[in-house]
Amino acid sequence: MLSYQHAYHAGNFADVHKHLTLYAVIDHLLRKKSSITYIDTHAGRGLYPLAAAETARLQEYQEGVARLWAERARLAQASPLLGDWLTAVGKVQRGGGLDHYPGSPWWLSQRMREGDRLRLFELHPGEHGHLADQTFSESVKRIQGDGLAGLLKTLPAKTPRICVLIDPSYERKAEYEEVADTVLAAMRKARHAVVMIWYPMLPAGRHQALLDGLRDGGLRKIWRSELTLGDPGEGHGMYGSGMLVVNPPWGLDERIHEAMAAMRPLWGSTAHHRSDWWVGE
Ligand code: SAM
């Protein structure tokens, strides 16, 4: 099918939730010296100019990164993690204001050290074309192909540590189960891998199939973080953003809580963040 283009949604509240968590996980992993293989199963374009026709059409970033950007001084005071994250966002700006938003390939590549590797999978020819136009170091490989199959082929990696982001477009209902099956297979090949899985929270509640699949597969040590802007019944669109982190680094939860407490009021009184150690109870 492949009709989804992330450019229509770049920088929205879900991207902020996803990429802030990603940034924090990388931050924790970089505290140790041993090298890391990063795998991004659904990479997208890599960098999103906010003036591009697709992004300018819905302007979802206005309700996302733009709200944080406007209050960056206050947020940096309240949460050093948010301050660092917003400084990183600042690095891709070309003019005086907010004009670009970085996608997961940028977040994963910008802090790579010698010995670290990055595999970027993107299936859509057009999106892969945009990704191919970007400049990355030689240790970044871009592969046009299926990211879930690519992940399993890449594992076990040659580096001591592995960090994976799974961020599908969930255009097909079956994708939730496919992601769960792939994560279970990946953990059998690399038990120590840190795996992040993003999912949309929609009124149909299809993400439950992903959670059930992981639970039924017996996966443990998962931290779940959900940012919701309203109740499921209030509209037809995405009301929340979910992130699962398998094998989360120690202390990740506290830093995300602090950041969420600082930024949640940006979305008014109906917004909530909740997190738990999800063991599939
Ligand atoms: N991870 C990106 C980010 O955070 O900036 C956004 C990714 S977007 C939500 C999902 C992407 O997955 C789309 O670009 C889509 O073309 C791509 N895609 C869809 N099916 C795929 C598959 N089977 N393998 C790899 N990429 C796929």
Side-chain angles (χ1 to χ4, degrees), residues 151-166:
L151 168 64
L152 295 181
K153 258 191 223 158
T154 307
L155 297 178
K158 291 191 181 121
T159 54
R161 293 184 296 154
I162 299 162
C163 175
V164 181
L165 174 67
I166 301 180

Side-chain angles (χ1 to χ4, degrees), residues 67-82:
R67 291 202 184 172
L68 280 81
W69 186 253
E71 292 207 30
R72 57 195 184 281
R74 178 186 72 77
L75 294 172
Q77 284 284 322
S79 156
L81 171 65
L82 266 182

Side-chain angles (χ1 to χ4, degrees), residues 239-257:
Y239 68 92
S241 160
M243 272 295 258
L244 300 174
V245 187
V246 184
N247 290 329
W250 189 85
L252 174 74
D253 50 350
E254 283 172 21
R255 291 180 80 203
I256 298 287
H257 287 161

